[in-house]
Amino acid sequence: MTSTPATLRVVIPRPLYQAYDYECLDQPLPEIGCRVRVPLGPHSLVGIIVERGFTSEFDKLRPIESVLDSTPLFDKPLLELLQWASVYYHHPIGEVLFAALPKRLRKGLPLLQNFAWHLSCDDIETATEQTKRAKRQLELLNQLSQNSLTEAQLTSLHLGKWRSPMKALEAKGFAKRELVTPEKHITSVDHPNQNLITLSDEQENCMTQLSEWLVADTLKPVLLHGITGSGKTEIYLRAIKMVLAQGKQALLMIPEIGLTPQLFQRFCDFFPNQTVVALHSGLNDLERAQNWQSAHTGEADVVVGTRSSVFCGFNKLGMIIIDEEHDGSFKQQEGFHYHARDLAVKRASQLKIPIIIGSATPALETLLNAERKRYHYSLLNQRPGTRQRPKTKLIDTRDQTLEAGVSRSLLAEVSNQIKDGNQVMLFLNRRGFAPVLLCAQCGWHAICPACDSEMTFHAARHKVICHHCDHQKTVGSYCPACKHPQLSTQGHGTERVENLLCAHFPDTPVVRIDRDTTSRKGELAKKLALVRSGEPVILIGTQMLTKGHDFPNLTLVGILDIDQALFSADYRAQEQLAQQVVQVSGRAGRGDKPGLVVLQTSQPEHPMLNQLLTQGYRAVAQQFLVERQAWHYPPFGYQALIRANTPQFETGLVFLQALKNDLKITLEEGQDEIKLMGPMPSAMEKRANRYRYQMLISADKRSSLHCFLDQLISAIRQVKKPKELRYTLDVDPTNFM
């Protein structure tokens, strides 16, 4: 009888496509999916075991230094998903696996213990009286009186701002802390819910349909195509309830952390007896690791997360739901270029669990899958109750006087709504005061020294800022070139529109929501709470406002500038514009009052715009599909984009051209269905002091594309690369800028 070789195959967080073999002196061997610390050259690194007990091709192996986990962080299905993703996206396996872990665990730190907080007093009235002057303590006390809360759940609810007030409650004897173990985690979905909303007939029919599909022998993804305000969230809640009743966990994926506070609270209210946690970039490293671990151990019943939550380890995942599945935020644009929606569909298929994909404006790829019967299709085409879709009105800006980009007609509409006690939202996808700062005397422009880009003027900070590399410079009142005492601006951003609205409506709160005003922790939730109070308010913001938010008293939406996207060189631009217009419009009239949407444009006769307003998104999407098929563009063709950048001008271009020359032989030997476009400069050639170039690879068959990309990776390894050159490969690209 031969003994099992004491060998481990370990991947490390380096841009390498292979794993390393090590000897393990410990017995028994640690399990696949555990972390180990290993030597690599003179360094010591954290690695992840992907194979054990094999016969290595090498005679002498270095031993591992230590085993960091007693149980795997990756179970077999998740490890298989990550290995599949590495192959599909042609990305180094080590970087893929480590992208799935919180930062603390990537560093090799130990797993955390999770604790729960309980109410420890019988006299809640006395406790309330003694904490009434401490707002945060009183809020926590009221929550604990309803149900005990784990620290992971508290972190998700309060974005970390709960520890000090909770310690104060503990000192007063009103709260106590207890270690949570999976054995103690017992939940019930039969808890009476006071927030249950009666479904409409259309929603009931949808749930009946879903109930059949979710228990079918052969599972298929479900596309829930619901117009804005049609009540998709109510469907999600009830579908998740079915899964929790089976003792399983659910994952709800959303595109932006801006959606988290309202949606997360809705889930906590609906499932008062379950542990609901959030996973997003707004959490610090400790909080993120704590929430990740609560899902991994099974303590969390529901996870509400953004893009990277698709990699979260689950103890017993039973359903995945993707809200706003069309949103570009689901595609990772740096490093490992994965698409979270596509990986979620793959994960559900591997686990043989149901997945629901919801949107008011489904992506063309998703609609085509539904047409080809790969996905089930369910339509919610009405708003519940007496709520009606908002009316739409076009304003031709060619015969209008604009003030900070806002027409007099739109200002009059805003005034009428505010007088009636309603709320208004203006949408402009450009932050800052003005996109151009210039001198009319000599023609000087504020241009970023590191990018081929104008710098945006931010009046409140007296700075020009590059929105591509974040280069900043304080500006004075005179021209730095000719010393002329007056500088002027062109164009307008959210800050300029905010100033205009404050001047016209001094008695009405104006709330600006963009990256500049919501960067501080908790600031977004504070601003959204003001809007949800229902008092008259004017919102001005960027695309952070377009998705998922529900403001019942908001009756007017104004869309300020859509012309640029109508004539973009990016073939996806009009699809994204149509989605954006529908999503922004959907914020109006979600309560009992009728809604109005006003679009400002200098192109009122544009065929796509008119078709969208008269026939709806589905008709426009069908037209886009016809055009894509004629040009063999996705979803009828398949693409990959290789980018290269260096600090030296055209060095990346030379690298890509050499790569193309090496691959010509391959193309001549029977792969004529592969087409190479470029290499060429990127739309913004210089960014952050690096010159950027790209080459587009397209194919009619997915298999042909991936076969060619394997050869491309092999060729890259053999081509001599300049020391400072960086390259990335983006499979199924969505951003060509």
Side-chain angles (χ1 to χ4, degrees), residues 6 70 96 180 349 367 485 490 498 523 552 561 600 615 639 673:
S70 57
V96 172
V180 174
S349 174
L367 280 174
Q490 286 185 356
E498 178 189 27
E523 198 63 33
D561 185 8
Q600 290 189 167
Q615 300 176 42
Q639 295 179 336
E673 72 270 24

Side-chain angles (χ1 to χ4, degrees), residues 212-467:
E212 296 173 2
W213 289 338
L214 298 184
V215 297
D217 293 335
T218 304
L219 288 173
K220 289 196 293 188
V222 176
L223 169 57
L224 179 57
H225 184 182
I227 66 166
T228 53
S230 60
K232 293 185 291 295
T233 303
E234 293 300 320
I235 302 297
Y236 301 157
L237 290 165
R238 285 158 176 80
I240 288 175
K241 184 178 179 182
M242 294 164 56
V243 171
L244 297 185
Q246 300 168 12
K248 297 180 180 179
Q249 297 167 288
L251 169 62
L252 171 69
M253 295 173 59
I254 56 176
E256 299 269 1
I257 63 170
L259 293 179
T260 308
Q262 182 181 6
L263 197 59
F264 187 81
Q265 190 61 57
R266 181 78 187 91
F267 271 70
C268 289
D269 292 343
F270 193 89
F271 299 113
N273 234 28
Q274 276 72 50
T275 300
V276 185
V277 302
L279 276 177
H280 54 72
S281 60
L283 305 172
N284 63 36
D285 293 342
L286 179 66
E287 294 164 349
R288 191 175 179 84
Q290 190 177 44
N291 289 9
W292 184 94
Q293 188 177 322
S294 67
H296 172 69
T297 60
E299 295 159 19
D301 301 294
V302 181
V303 173
V304 180
T306 49
R307 180 175 58 230
S308 61
S309 64
V310 70
F311 300 128
C312 182
F314 284 88
N315 185 273
K316 44 186 184 298
L317 184 60
M319 173 180 282
I320 301 174
I321 296 176
I322 309 175
D323 192 29
E324 311 289 3
E325 63 84 26
H326 67 278
D327 196 276
S329 300
F330 283 120
K331 180 66 189 275
Q332 171 70 25
Q333 299 293 354
E334 301 290 339
F336 173 29
H337 289 73
Y338 66 91
H339 200 301
R341 177 199 61 211
D342 298 343
L343 284 179
V345 171
K346 180 67 177 179
R347 188 173 190 181
S349 174
Q350 284 184 330
L351 294 173
K352 294 181 173 54
I353 61 172
I355 180 168
I356 300 173
I357 303 170
S359 177
T361 53
L364 299 189
E365 293 82 357
T366 306
L367 280 174
L368 187 64
N369 278 324
E371 285 185 8
R372 290 175 171 175
K373 307 300 181 184
R374 293 173 181 166
Y375 293 0
H376 292 299
Y377 179 79
S378 183
L379 177 64
L380 290 175
N381 204 33
Q382 298 173 358
R383 290 184 168 184
T386 59
R387 301 171 188 174
Q388 300 296 315
R389 297 191 199 189
K391 295 180 179 178
T392 305
K393 175 182 176 183
L394 273 181
I395 292 180
D396 185 351
T397 56
R398 292 174 299 184
D399 55 8
Q400 289 269 345
T401 300
L402 301 183
E403 190 177 355
V406 184
S407 65
R408 290 179 178 176
S409 299
L410 181 53
L411 283 173
E413 294 285 0
V414 172
S415 179
N416 292 335
Q417 296 295 335
I418 294 299
K419 285 177 183 176
D420 291 340
N422 300 326
Q423 296 177 335
V424 172
M425 183 174 89
L426 300 187
F427 170 75
L428 175 63
N429 207 23
R430 189 185 300 118
R431 59 193 176 97
F433 185 85
V436 178
L437 181 69
L438 56 84
C439 173
Q441 187 76 11
C442 72
W444 171 87
H445 282 229
I447 297 175
C448 177
C451 303
D452 291 332
S453 172
E454 299 273 358
M455 297 179 76
T456 300
F457 178 52
H458 290 248
R461 298 160 69 178
H462 301 288
K463 286 184 176 182
V464 282
I465 302 174
C466 176
H467 289 175

Side-chain angles (χ1 to χ4, degrees), residues 471-492:
H471 178 79
Q472 303 184 15
K473 186 176 180 180
T474 303
V475 294
S477 57
Y478 60 88
C479 173
C482 71
K483 309 304 179 186
H484 185 69
Q486 188 174 0
L487 293 171
S488 56
T489 59
Q490 286 185 356
H492 45 273

